[in-house]
Short mmCIF file of all heavy atoms in Angstrom, two decimals:
data_model
loop_
_atom_site.label_atom_id
_atom_site.label_comp_id
_atom_site.label_asym_id
_atom_site.label_seq_id
_atom_site.Cartn_x
_atom_site.Cartn_y
_atom_site.Cartn_z
N GLY B 851 126.76 106.33 99.84
CA GLY B 851 127.87 105.90 100.69
C GLY B 851 128.37 104.51 100.34
O GLY B 851 129.44 104.09 100.79
N PHE B 852 127.60 103.76 99.55
CA PHE B 852 127.99 102.40 99.17
C PHE B 852 128.43 102.30 97.71
O PHE B 852 128.68 101.22 97.20
CB PHE B 852 126.84 101.41 99.44
CG PHE B 852 126.61 101.19 100.90
CD1 PHE B 852 125.74 102.01 101.61
CD2 PHE B 852 127.27 100.17 101.57
CE1 PHE B 852 125.54 101.81 102.97
CE2 PHE B 852 127.07 99.96 102.92
CZ PHE B 852 126.20 100.79 103.62
N GLN B 853 128.54 103.45 97.03
CA GLN B 853 128.86 103.48 95.60
C GLN B 853 130.19 102.80 95.29
O GLN B 853 130.33 102.16 94.25
CB GLN B 853 128.91 104.92 95.07
CG GLN B 853 127.65 105.70 95.24
CD GLN B 853 127.63 106.54 96.51
OE1 GLN B 853 128.01 106.07 97.58
NE2 GLN B 853 127.17 107.76 96.41
N LYS B 854 131.17 102.94 96.15
CA LYS B 854 132.51 102.41 95.89
C LYS B 854 132.48 100.91 95.62
O LYS B 854 133.18 100.42 94.74
CB LYS B 854 133.44 102.73 97.06
CG LYS B 854 134.87 102.35 96.82
CD LYS B 854 135.76 102.79 97.96
CE LYS B 854 137.19 102.40 97.68
NZ LYS B 854 138.10 102.83 98.75
N ALA B 855 131.63 100.19 96.34
CA ALA B 855 131.54 98.74 96.17
C ALA B 855 130.95 98.37 94.81
O ALA B 855 131.16 97.25 94.33
CB ALA B 855 130.71 98.11 97.28
N LEU B 856 130.24 99.30 94.17
CA LEU B 856 129.65 99.04 92.86
C LEU B 856 130.62 99.35 91.72
O LEU B 856 130.41 98.93 90.59
CB LEU B 856 128.36 99.84 92.68
CG LEU B 856 127.09 99.24 93.26
CD1 LEU B 856 127.17 99.00 94.75
CD2 LEU B 856 125.89 100.09 92.93
N GLY B 857 131.67 100.10 92.03
CA GLY B 857 132.67 100.44 91.03
C GLY B 857 132.08 101.16 89.84
O GLY B 857 131.21 102.02 89.98
N GLU B 858 132.53 100.78 88.65
CA GLU B 858 132.08 101.42 87.40
C GLU B 858 130.61 101.14 87.10
O GLU B 858 130.03 101.79 86.24
CB GLU B 858 132.95 100.95 86.23
CG GLU B 858 134.38 101.43 86.33
CD GLU B 858 135.23 100.95 85.16
OE1 GLU B 858 134.69 100.34 84.21
OE2 GLU B 858 136.44 101.17 85.22
N SER B 859 130.02 100.20 87.80
CA SER B 859 128.60 99.88 87.58
C SER B 859 127.67 100.94 88.14
O SER B 859 126.52 101.03 87.72
CB SER B 859 128.27 98.53 88.23
OG SER B 859 128.99 97.50 87.60
N TYR B 860 128.15 101.73 89.09
CA TYR B 860 127.29 102.72 89.73
C TYR B 860 126.88 103.81 88.75
O TYR B 860 127.73 104.47 88.15
CB TYR B 860 127.98 103.36 90.94
CG TYR B 860 127.09 104.38 91.61
CD1 TYR B 860 126.03 103.97 92.40
CD2 TYR B 860 127.28 105.74 91.40
CE1 TYR B 860 125.19 104.90 93.00
CE2 TYR B 860 126.45 106.68 92.00
CZ TYR B 860 125.40 106.25 92.78
OH TYR B 860 124.57 107.17 93.36
N VAL B 861 125.57 103.99 88.59
CA VAL B 861 125.04 105.03 87.71
C VAL B 861 124.05 105.94 88.44
O VAL B 861 123.48 106.84 87.85
CB VAL B 861 124.35 104.45 86.45
CG1 VAL B 861 125.36 103.75 85.57
CG2 VAL B 861 123.19 103.54 86.82
N GLY B 862 123.85 105.69 89.72
CA GLY B 862 122.84 106.46 90.43
C GLY B 862 121.47 105.99 90.01
O GLY B 862 121.28 104.84 89.66
N GLY B 863 120.52 106.87 90.05
CA GLY B 863 119.16 106.50 89.69
C GLY B 863 118.41 105.94 90.89
O GLY B 863 118.99 105.67 91.94
N LEU B 864 117.11 105.80 90.72
CA LEU B 864 116.26 105.34 91.81
C LEU B 864 116.08 103.83 91.78
O LEU B 864 116.31 103.15 92.77
CB LEU B 864 114.91 106.06 91.75
CG LEU B 864 114.99 107.59 91.83
CD1 LEU B 864 113.61 108.21 91.73
CD2 LEU B 864 115.70 108.02 93.10
N VAL B 865 115.65 103.30 90.65
CA VAL B 865 115.54 101.86 90.42
C VAL B 865 116.20 101.61 89.07
O VAL B 865 115.84 102.25 88.08
CB VAL B 865 114.08 101.37 90.40
CG1 VAL B 865 114.01 99.88 90.12
CG2 VAL B 865 113.38 101.70 91.72
N VAL B 866 117.16 100.70 89.04
CA VAL B 866 117.93 100.46 87.82
C VAL B 866 117.82 98.98 87.43
O VAL B 866 118.11 98.11 88.24
CB VAL B 866 119.42 100.84 88.01
CG1 VAL B 866 120.23 100.50 86.77
CG2 VAL B 866 119.55 102.32 88.35
N GLU B 867 117.39 98.75 86.20
CA GLU B 867 117.37 97.39 85.63
C GLU B 867 118.51 97.28 84.64
O GLU B 867 118.64 98.12 83.76
CB GLU B 867 116.05 97.15 84.88
CG GLU B 867 114.84 97.04 85.76
CD GLU B 867 113.62 96.67 84.94
OE1 GLU B 867 113.50 95.49 84.53
OE2 GLU B 867 112.79 97.57 84.71
N SER B 868 119.31 96.25 84.79
CA SER B 868 120.42 96.04 83.88
C SER B 868 120.66 94.54 83.72
O SER B 868 121.09 93.86 84.66
CB SER B 868 121.69 96.72 84.41
OG SER B 868 122.74 96.62 83.49
N LYS B 869 120.31 94.05 82.56
CA LYS B 869 120.40 92.63 82.25
C LYS B 869 119.57 91.84 83.27
O LYS B 869 118.38 92.08 83.38
CB LYS B 869 121.85 92.18 82.16
CG LYS B 869 122.62 92.91 81.06
CD LYS B 869 124.06 92.48 80.97
CE LYS B 869 124.76 93.30 79.90
NZ LYS B 869 126.17 93.02 79.82
N ASN B 870 120.19 90.95 84.04
CA ASN B 870 119.45 90.10 84.98
C ASN B 870 119.41 90.68 86.40
O ASN B 870 118.95 90.01 87.32
CB ASN B 870 120.08 88.70 85.04
CG ASN B 870 121.49 88.73 85.58
OD1 ASN B 870 122.31 89.55 85.18
ND2 ASN B 870 121.78 87.82 86.50
N VAL B 871 119.88 91.92 86.57
CA VAL B 871 119.96 92.52 87.91
C VAL B 871 119.09 93.77 88.02
O VAL B 871 119.11 94.63 87.14
CB VAL B 871 121.43 92.86 88.27
CG1 VAL B 871 121.52 93.59 89.60
CG2 VAL B 871 122.29 91.60 88.29
N ILE B 872 118.36 93.85 89.14
CA ILE B 872 117.54 95.02 89.45
C ILE B 872 118.04 95.56 90.78
O ILE B 872 118.14 94.81 91.76
CB ILE B 872 116.05 94.65 89.55
CG1 ILE B 872 115.56 94.07 88.22
CG2 ILE B 872 115.22 95.88 89.95
CD1 ILE B 872 114.23 93.38 88.30
N THR B 873 118.34 96.86 90.83
CA THR B 873 118.78 97.48 92.07
C THR B 873 117.96 98.74 92.35
O THR B 873 117.42 99.34 91.42
CB THR B 873 120.28 97.86 92.02
OG1 THR B 873 120.53 98.69 90.89
CG2 THR B 873 121.16 96.61 91.95
N ALA B 874 117.88 99.11 93.62
CA ALA B 874 117.17 100.32 94.00
C ALA B 874 117.94 101.03 95.10
O ALA B 874 118.69 100.42 95.84
CB ALA B 874 115.75 100.00 94.45
N LYS B 875 117.71 102.33 95.18
CA LYS B 875 118.52 103.21 96.02
C LYS B 875 118.28 103.06 97.53
O LYS B 875 119.23 103.11 98.30
CB LYS B 875 118.28 104.66 95.61
CG LYS B 875 119.33 105.61 96.11
CD LYS B 875 119.24 106.93 95.39
CE LYS B 875 120.46 107.78 95.71
NZ LYS B 875 120.58 108.90 94.81
N GLY B 876 117.03 102.90 97.98
CA GLY B 876 116.83 102.82 99.41
C GLY B 876 115.39 102.69 99.87
O GLY B 876 114.50 102.48 99.06
N PRO B 877 115.18 102.81 101.18
CA PRO B 877 113.89 102.50 101.80
C PRO B 877 112.68 103.20 101.18
O PRO B 877 111.64 102.57 101.00
CB PRO B 877 114.06 102.97 103.25
CG PRO B 877 115.52 103.08 103.48
CD PRO B 877 116.15 103.31 102.15
N GLY B 878 112.81 104.47 100.84
CA GLY B 878 111.69 105.20 100.27
C GLY B 878 111.26 104.71 98.90
O GLY B 878 110.21 105.09 98.40
N LEU B 879 112.07 103.85 98.31
CA LEU B 879 111.77 103.31 96.98
C LEU B 879 111.33 101.85 97.04
O LEU B 879 111.28 101.17 96.02
CB LEU B 879 113.00 103.47 96.08
CG LEU B 879 113.31 104.93 95.82
CD1 LEU B 879 114.77 105.15 95.49
CD2 LEU B 879 112.41 105.47 94.74
N SER B 880 111.00 101.37 98.22
CA SER B 880 110.64 99.96 98.40
C SER B 880 109.48 99.53 97.50
O SER B 880 109.53 98.47 96.89
CB SER B 880 110.31 99.68 99.86
OG SER B 880 111.43 99.91 100.67
N ALA B 881 108.43 100.34 97.43
CA ALA B 881 107.29 99.99 96.58
C ALA B 881 107.67 100.03 95.11
O ALA B 881 107.31 99.13 94.34
CB ALA B 881 106.10 100.90 96.86
N ASP B 882 108.41 101.05 94.70
CA ASP B 882 108.85 101.14 93.29
C ASP B 882 109.69 99.91 92.92
O ASP B 882 109.54 99.36 91.83
CB ASP B 882 109.66 102.41 93.07
CG ASP B 882 108.86 103.66 93.35
OD1 ASP B 882 108.17 104.13 92.44
OD2 ASP B 882 108.91 104.14 94.50
N PHE B 883 110.57 99.53 93.83
CA PHE B 883 111.40 98.33 93.65
C PHE B 883 110.52 97.10 93.48
O PHE B 883 110.66 96.34 92.53
CB PHE B 883 112.31 98.20 94.88
CG PHE B 883 113.19 96.99 94.94
CD1 PHE B 883 114.24 96.82 94.06
CD2 PHE B 883 112.99 96.04 95.94
CE1 PHE B 883 115.08 95.72 94.15
CE2 PHE B 883 113.83 94.94 96.03
CZ PHE B 883 114.87 94.77 95.14
N ALA B 884 109.55 96.92 94.39
CA ALA B 884 108.67 95.76 94.33
C ALA B 884 107.85 95.75 93.04
O ALA B 884 107.68 94.69 92.42
CB ALA B 884 107.75 95.74 95.55
N PHE B 885 107.33 96.91 92.62
CA PHE B 885 106.55 96.95 91.38
C PHE B 885 107.42 96.59 90.18
O PHE B 885 106.95 95.94 89.24
CB PHE B 885 105.87 98.31 91.20
CG PHE B 885 104.67 98.49 92.07
CD1 PHE B 885 104.62 99.49 93.02
CD2 PHE B 885 103.58 97.64 91.95
CE1 PHE B 885 103.52 99.66 93.83
CE2 PHE B 885 102.47 97.80 92.76
CZ PHE B 885 102.44 98.81 93.72
N CYS B 886 108.67 96.98 90.20
CA CYS B 886 109.59 96.62 89.13
C CYS B 886 109.78 95.10 89.10
O CYS B 886 109.80 94.48 88.03
CB CYS B 886 110.92 97.33 89.33
SG CYS B 886 112.11 97.04 88.01
N LEU B 887 109.89 94.49 90.28
CA LEU B 887 110.05 93.03 90.35
C LEU B 887 108.79 92.33 89.84
O LEU B 887 108.88 91.34 89.10
CB LEU B 887 110.34 92.58 91.78
CG LEU B 887 111.56 93.19 92.48
CD1 LEU B 887 111.79 92.52 93.83
CD2 LEU B 887 112.79 93.14 91.64
N ILE B 888 107.63 92.85 90.23
CA ILE B 888 106.37 92.26 89.76
C ILE B 888 106.29 92.32 88.24
O ILE B 888 105.95 91.34 87.58
CB ILE B 888 105.15 92.98 90.39
CG1 ILE B 888 105.10 92.72 91.89
CG2 ILE B 888 103.85 92.54 89.72
CD1 ILE B 888 104.12 93.62 92.64
N GLU B 889 106.62 93.48 87.69
CA GLU B 889 106.57 93.63 86.23
C GLU B 889 107.51 92.63 85.55
O GLU B 889 107.15 92.02 84.55
CB GLU B 889 106.90 95.06 85.83
CG GLU B 889 106.66 95.31 84.36
CD GLU B 889 106.70 96.78 83.99
OE1 GLU B 889 106.32 97.62 84.82
OE2 GLU B 889 107.12 97.06 82.86
N ARG B 890 108.69 92.46 86.11
CA ARG B 890 109.67 91.54 85.52
C ARG B 890 109.22 90.08 85.63
O ARG B 890 109.42 89.30 84.72
CB ARG B 890 111.01 91.75 86.22
CG ARG B 890 112.19 91.12 85.51
CD ARG B 890 112.50 91.89 84.21
NE ARG B 890 113.70 91.46 83.57
CZ ARG B 890 114.92 91.92 83.83
NH1 ARG B 890 115.11 92.84 84.74
NH2 ARG B 890 115.96 91.48 83.17
N LEU B 891 108.59 89.74 86.75
CA LEU B 891 108.19 88.35 86.98
C LEU B 891 106.83 87.99 86.39
O LEU B 891 106.63 86.86 85.96
CB LEU B 891 108.17 88.05 88.49
CG LEU B 891 109.52 88.04 89.19
CD1 LEU B 891 109.34 88.08 90.70
CD2 LEU B 891 110.33 86.81 88.77
N ALA B 892 105.89 88.94 86.40
CA ALA B 892 104.52 88.61 85.99
C ALA B 892 103.94 89.52 84.92
O ALA B 892 102.81 89.34 84.51
CB ALA B 892 103.61 88.64 87.23
N GLY B 893 104.69 90.52 84.50
CA GLY B 893 104.23 91.41 83.44
C GLY B 893 103.60 92.69 83.95
O GLY B 893 103.25 92.82 85.13
#
Side-chain angles (χ1 to χ4, degrees):
F852 289 89
Q853 301 94 316
K854 186 175 181 179
L856 277 59
E858 293 179 6
S859 296
Y860 180 76
V861 294
L864 302 179
V865 178
V866 176
E867 290 185 74
S868 185
K869 299 180 183 176
N870 64 314
V871 175
I872 300 166
T873 55
K875 197 166 191 166
L879 294 155
S880 298
D882 298 274
F883 176 68
F885 284 118
C886 184
L887 304 186
I888 293 168
E889 189 168 328
R890 194 71 173 273
L891 292 166

